[in-house]
Amino acid sequence: MRVLHIVALAALTVAVNCRTTTRQQAIAPVSPQITSLTDKDIKRKASVHPAFANAGHQAGVEVWRIKDFNPEPVSQKDYGKFYKGDSYIVLKTTADKKNKLSWDIYYWIGSESTQDESGASAILSVGLDDKFNGAAVQHRETQGYESQQFKALFPSGLQYQSGGYPTAFRHVTTNAGAEKRLIQVKGRRDVRVRQVDPSISSMNKGDCFILDVDHDVYIYVGPNSRNVEKLKAVSVANQIRDQDHAGRARVETIDQYSSDVDVQKFFTALGSGTKDSVPDATAGGDDQSFVTSEEQNVMLTEVSDSSGKLKSTAVSKPYRQDQLKQQEAYILDTITGGVYVWIGKQSTERERSEAMSKAQQLLTAKSYPSWVQVKRIPQGTEPAIFKQYFTTWRDVNMSHTRVI
């Protein structure tokens, strides 16, 4: 009997050990290192990556450089230096008077960065956002076309450095200021706003244009433009000042009454052209045809996994605010005005991640110019340029619906 008892105890011990080993193997953590964009655990690894362990806990700026698909912290003394051959992630954490935190995530793509590196930066940005339960605002930044908000994070300016991993230590070139944004304002009754290439070739005398550069916002009023276009330009310029520059930018109007010195100041800031070299109004095309084309080409797509499978579905026109469900994510492709990813408050991690990924793919698939950006918009933070594509819109605390 004693022998049988010992044998039974041994067998039980082996069984327990086997179950323990099996269970430990089942719950064993996956290595946080990302090996490729096809890594089946890439999204989970991004959300728990050790490089992000203490990210966003206090107000300030944090920077990571992408190396072999993984984020590598950048020393504070090197903040503002960006290698052309690499991609980066920049986190801005802001605290209000009650010490409540909010976050902006920027993923910066160098002009010589590979598609794998830029793709990794986008996916890692989504993973970082998961730490904040999807509450962060994400921004895509490209070399030479950085937003004003991004540049403001680096008071000493941006420095573009030649090379990238593994040969990053080369000659340093300081960015001389290619960072600018030109916005066209065009239409008769339904006036539209869209971002265009920041050069004289994008302009004409029949429309209004807004130039956002450094801490100056210029309104160029074409001599043949309509009053409604001017009114819209003033409204949008003021919103850019208040939303993008925290009210600290200077708005200046350039029109037929401006001095030659002020007019030339505008074209100097633009970086090309003169008053006399602005193309005629005919170069801008017919206003109504422009608006009609915008309405036809703009696409709104719903990204949802509510059926159990991830599906992308085109939303029917005309677009209305109530079509944006807080349980889903959406991609608004405005063709040349930018690509927006709208994130509902109750959307899933899978929906948010897939929407950002698909939006990123649009830039390559449609061969959009480098100044076209992907902007992530959490529900309730919609900018005016986004809201203009919906027939009506009611902001929080508004007593009635406003016709756009």
Side-chain angles (χ1 to χ4, degrees), residues 224-243:
N224 304 123
S225 62
R226 305 175 187 275
N227 284 335
V228 290
E229 292 171 328
K230 180 179 179 179
L231 291 173
K232 183 73 170 182
V234 171
S235 174
V236 173
N238 287 338
Q239 290 178 41
I240 291 174
R241 175 197 62 199
D242 297 338
Q243 294 178 2

Side-chain angles (χ1 to χ4, degrees), residues 110-331:
S111 60
E112 301 170 7
S113 177
T114 67
Q115 188 171 358
D116 280 348
E117 288 173 324
S118 62
S121 67
I123 292 174
L124 287 166
S125 294
V126 174
L128 177 58
D129 183 33
D130 287 340
K131 289 177 61 66
F132 313 124
N133 298 317
V137 179
Q138 291 186 31
H139 313 261
R140 179 180 184 271
E141 305 285 341
T142 56
Q143 180 183 330
Y145 297 96
E146 292 88 350
S147 66
Q148 299 294 334
Q149 304 102 300
F150 183 80
K151 292 182 295 178
L153 303 180
F154 307 99
S156 298
L158 305 180
Q159 292 182 347
Y160 296 153
Q161 303 196 19
S162 298
Y165 279 120
T167 56
F169 301 98
R170 299 183 184 176
H171 177 67
V172 176
T173 303
T174 301
N175 175 23
E179 60 296 306
K180 60 177 71 73
R181 181 170 56 152
L182 185 64
I183 297 171
Q184 182 180 19
V185 183
K186 184 178 183 66
R188 294 181 181 177
R189 292 186 298 273
D190 185 12
V191 181
R192 293 285 178 171
V193 177
R194 69 170 182 179
Q195 188 174 347
V196 296
D197 186 26
S199 68
I200 186 67
S201 61
S202 299
M203 298 180 63
N204 70 81
K205 295 178 181 177
D207 299 323
C208 291
F209 293 84
I210 301 169
L211 176 63
D212 180 16
V213 56
D214 295 329
H215 294 291
D216 293 314
V217 180
Y218 297 92
I219 303 172
Y220 174 88
V221 180
N224 304 123
S225 62
R226 305 175 187 275
N227 284 335
V228 290
E229 292 171 328
K230 180 179 179 179
L231 291 173
K232 183 73 170 182
V234 171
S235 174
V236 173
N238 287 338
Q239 290 178 41
I240 291 174
R241 175 197 62 199
D242 297 338
Q243 294 178 2
D244 295 354
H245 300 279
R248 292 191 291 270
R250 178 182 59 180
V251 177
E252 184 173 348
T253 300
I254 304 298
D255 56 20
Q256 59 182 327
Y257 305 108
S258 300
S259 67
D260 291 340
V261 173
D262 288 339
V263 172
Q264 188 53 49
K265 185 167 62 173
F266 168 84
F267 289 104
T268 298
L270 179 62
S272 63
T274 63
K275 176 182 178 180
D276 296 330
S277 65
V278 176
D280 292 335
T282 54
D286 178 69
D287 284 352
Q288 189 55 46
S289 297
F290 168 80
V291 172
T292 301
S293 176
E294 286 280 290
E295 292 175 347
Q296 291 175 344
N297 292 326
V298 171
M299 294 292 296
L300 180 65
T301 304
E302 179 184 275
V303 180
S304 172
D305 62 5
S306 58
S307 65
K309 291 185 176 181
L310 200 61
K311 294 173 57 178
S312 296
T313 308
V315 179
S316 60
K317 297 178 179 180
Y319 300 139
R320 306 181 313 277
Q321 182 184 12
D322 59 17
Q323 291 173 305
L324 299 175
K325 305 171 187 175
Q326 63 180 351
Q327 299 86 359
E328 319 293 358
Y330 295 82
I331 302 171

